[in-house]
Amino acid sequence: MLRIFFGTDDLDRLRVAERPDMSMELSLSVHALISGHRDPRFQAWRDRLRASWNPRTALLFDLYTPSAIPEFLAVRRDPGATESATAGAPEAPLRDHLRSVGGVRQLSAFARGVAAGDRRARKLLGNVTADYQTRAIDPYRRQIETIVTTEHGRRRRATEPDQVLGTLHPAISWRRPVLTLPLVGGCRHDLRLDGRGLLLQPCVFGARRPVIARFEDPEQQPVLLYPARINGPLLAEAEPTPSRTLTALLGQTRAAALEAVAGHGPCSTKDLAAHLGISTASASEHATVLADSGLTTKDRTGRSVTHRCTPLGRALLAGHLPALAPAAEGVSV
């Protein structure tokens, strides 16, 4: 049993995430495969994943126990960035996690290599994670985003913290000032928020039980992952992607940035970073290059910048260019 103690400041800092945490969605989805839980809403997802199964994906199973879910599998919009980010995960949390796994069962040679910082094992971890992302997460991104955004809107209508905390999940009990939830194996633990507040993160793949994450670092805000309401089956969607020519011209991430600005309408730099799964600073750099190239525009209001796609940018995404005006006499183009 986990008891989470709230102070007055913590209730003021309670919030529901607006967007999915794709890294945790990936980690929870692997856990769902290991647990063998058969939810009919995920049957199509399982069938599609089975049809394209890569045997190396099973290496990820070595990083789990029934109660230990890795938090260092870092999903980015571009699978290449996922591979780099996961392979370069910080040493301390990775070692601590695998130490807890080793306390339950013997670590595999792969897990020992990852824990020891072996470069080949780390590279393999990044490669396997990125490959799994393309099969298990990317084809469902839009539906995952829609489910979590809808859940956020539903929770936001509850104006009082008691309403939000009291209706999260049947296994969660809320009696001011303590939130209680079960832990695997009957363990008991008390968590005092001490002014950090709590982030409630709706999850699509967290179907069986709530999970607490990022609570051991006193400098971080703890995250409670809880199952979002899912009204139908999880189905793959053929998401339009930039053409190979455009990707070759702009690069994978910049082409995806142009597609995000065009597909999601005017968006801030922070929103663009969230769509791409990259830092705000990197999103700003890519947006500046796109604007300098005439593919997008940047409108600044105070400290906020809004990005919009230009006709030229939309034409490139559509695979054609607008007609060019005739060159003036004596001027070469």
Side-chain angles (χ1 to χ4, degrees), residues 96-170:
D96 289 345
H97 172 81
L98 289 173
R99 187 179 298 117
S100 69
V101 173
V104 176
R105 57 177 171 78
Q106 185 175 359
L107 293 179
S108 67
F110 168 68
R112 291 197 302 272
V114 171
D118 179 79
R119 188 168 62 178
R120 288 181 298 179
R122 287 292 197 92
K123 184 176 181 180
L124 179 58
L125 172 64
N127 180 267
V128 171
T129 303
D131 177 76
Y132 178 75
Q133 171 189 326
T134 64
R135 302 166 192 273
I137 299 298
D138 287 348
Y140 308 89
R141 271 184 183 269
R142 291 189 177 180
Q143 190 175 359
I144 292 172
E145 289 173 356
T146 298
I147 291 170
V148 172
T149 301
T150 302
E151 176 72 14
H152 170 264
R154 188 170 70 87
R155 294 289 176 187
R156 190 173 58 180
R157 291 194 292 272
T159 57
E160 294 297 325
D162 292 329
Q163 292 177 287
V164 176
L165 294 172
T167 59
L168 282 176
H169 190 272

Side-chain angles (χ1 to χ4, degrees), residues 59-127:
L59 290 171
L60 295 177
F61 298 171
D62 298 347
L63 311 178
Y64 287 75
T65 70
S67 61
I69 297 174
E71 299 177 23
F72 49 80
L73 304 179
V75 172
R76 301 291 184 262
R77 189 78 182 188
D78 176 10
T82 292
E83 182 172 356
S84 300
T86 301
E91 295 280 348
L94 193 152
R95 281 200 308 267
D96 289 345
H97 172 81
L98 289 173
R99 187 179 298 117
S100 69
V101 173
V104 176
R105 57 177 171 78
Q106 185 175 359
L107 293 179
S108 67
F110 168 68
R112 291 197 302 272
V114 171
D118 179 79
R119 188 168 62 178
R120 288 181 298 179
R122 287 292 197 92
K123 184 176 181 180
L124 179 58
L125 172 64
N127 180 267

Side-chain angles (χ1 to χ4, degrees), residues 78 242 246-247 249-261 272 276 278 282-283 285-291 293 295-296 317:
D78 176 10
L246 184 61
T247 299
L249 178 65
L250 299 179
Q252 179 74 33
T253 304
R254 203 161 291 157
L258 179 60
E259 195 271 339
V261 173
L272 180 60
L276 299 176
I278 60 178
S282 295
E285 292 177 7
H286 289 302
T288 297
V289 173
L290 293 175
S293 303
L295 302 178
T296 62
L317 286 170

Side-chain angles (χ1 to χ4, degrees), residues 310-324:
T310 65
L312 177 59
R314 293 188 182 281
L316 279 177
L317 286 170
H320 60 80
L321 289 173
L324 297 175

